Amino acid sequence: MSRTHSSVAIIGSGPAGLTAAVYAARANLAPVVFAGHLYGGQLMLTTEVENYPGFPQGIMGPELMENFRLQAERFGAVLHFVDVTKVDFSQQPFRLWTEDDEFSADTVIVATGASARWLDVPHEARLRGRGVSTCATCDGAFFREKHIVVVGGGDSAMEEALFLTRFGKKVTVIHRRASFRASKIMADRVLAHDKIDVIWNSEVTEVLGAEKTEGLGLRNIETGETSTIDADALFIAIGHDPNTAMFQGQLDLDPMGYISSPDGVTTNIPGVFVAGDVFDVRYKQAITAAGSGCKAALEVEKYLEAHEAEHASALV
Ligand code: NAP
């Protein structure tokens, strides 16, 4: 097993990780990016991105991430398309393992993101980007005057349903119980909205449609009765899971498993920084993730400079 050292290791290759890579590379820090087997993050699962500034005609999610990657590589970032399997942040230099190799780094930027939960029902994966989505902000505008379904009963589902009333001719919320988990104020707004209907005690059993979403199979959980409804879009808002399993016991996590960061960039371990959805429960946008990647790289630069100065004065 070989071991390679770098001044900065970036774990994750979504907008946060790759923006951090661009900034760290331009600061001559030769960052090593652990991009994962599935590089690019959640935008690789999106079709057209219309709200990333700089692309007035919109851009496809995978193409945008390819541009991020090329920009980072242009300035010398080295990408490894492997997953980090284990880290040890208990001593300097920090250590990181992939399946075949071991690495060490003076600083680490954790940008492993969060994964939207999916329903895991037939044809959901096939129709992703063709009516099935986990991001109303990204995809809502494609369904003007259409019938839009939202699944979920938490604040995210309420927020998405309310947002989607701007586009859809009708929005139907499907929830598996008879009351919402969401805060009362959000739930009340949904219940009072004249464009929104709610189907209670029901689950989506399959997505229907050949080329695009055309309907949904439903099952009433109480009665077991099955039915279908017509739908042009299905927005799944049943929560996200932060990708933090390997940091348990190493970094402070909040009760939902997100990395705790009082200022949105540092962690409880000096020299380990955070960027993007892995700490950001609230905004979860590509542009906010990119911004936080930039912040993390600038903090890494300051941290390394301060430590170099400390080291130099210790040698005098
Ligand atoms: P959440 O509160 O965990 O709610 C997830 C919802 O999805 C629940 O209603 C749950 O049903 C349902 N669900 C989970 N798995 C499901 C499955 N397999 N099939 C069908 N339904 C399923 O998640 P969230 O709404 O993403 O919110 C996460 C956190 O962010 C919360 O603390 C929330 O308050 C906060 N947040 C706040 C705002 C705001 O204040 N504006 C906006 C968004 C999020 P059950 O209820 O039956 O468990």
Side-chain angles (χ1 to χ4, degrees), residues 117-119 151-157 159 174-177 179-183 186 202-203 237-240 256 281-282 284:
R117 292 186 198 137
W118 295 89
L119 293 171
V151 177
D155 279 324
S156 296
E159 210 167 63
I174 297 177
H175 183 39
R176 63 184 179 184
R177 292 188 295 120
S179 64
F180 287 137
R181 173 181 297 276
S183 53
M186 297 290 281
S202 295
E203 62 181 5
I238 60 172
H240 282 77
M256 290 190 293
V281 188
R282 189 172 172 84
K284 298 182 193 139

Side-chain angles (χ1 to χ4, degrees), residues 246-261:
M246 84 176 124
F247 307 113
Q248 269 172 23
Q250 308 255 357
L251 295 177
D252 286 349
L253 306 180
D254 74 11
M256 290 190 293
Y258 288 83
I259 295 175
S260 299
S261 175

Side-chain angles (χ1 to χ4, degrees), residues 86-97 246 250:
K86 194 173 90 168
V87 294
D88 181 358
F89 295 157
S90 66
Q91 52 187 331
Q92 274 279 11
F94 304 124
R95 293 168 77 192
L96 302 90
W97 287 265
M246 84 176 124
Q250 308 255 357

Side-chain angles (χ1 to χ4, degrees), residues 41-64:
Q42 293 187 68
L43 283 190
M44 299 303 270
L45 305 175
T46 326
T47 50
E48 201 163 3
V49 180
E50 289 188 326
N51 56 5
Y52 199 90
F55 300 94
Q57 304 306 323
I59 183 166
M60 298 304 276
E63 190 187 345
L64 179 59

Side-chain angles (χ1 to χ4, degrees), residues 261-276:
S261 175
D263 53 5
V265 65
T266 58
T267 68
N268 59 307
I269 306 278
V272 178
F273 300 88
V274 72

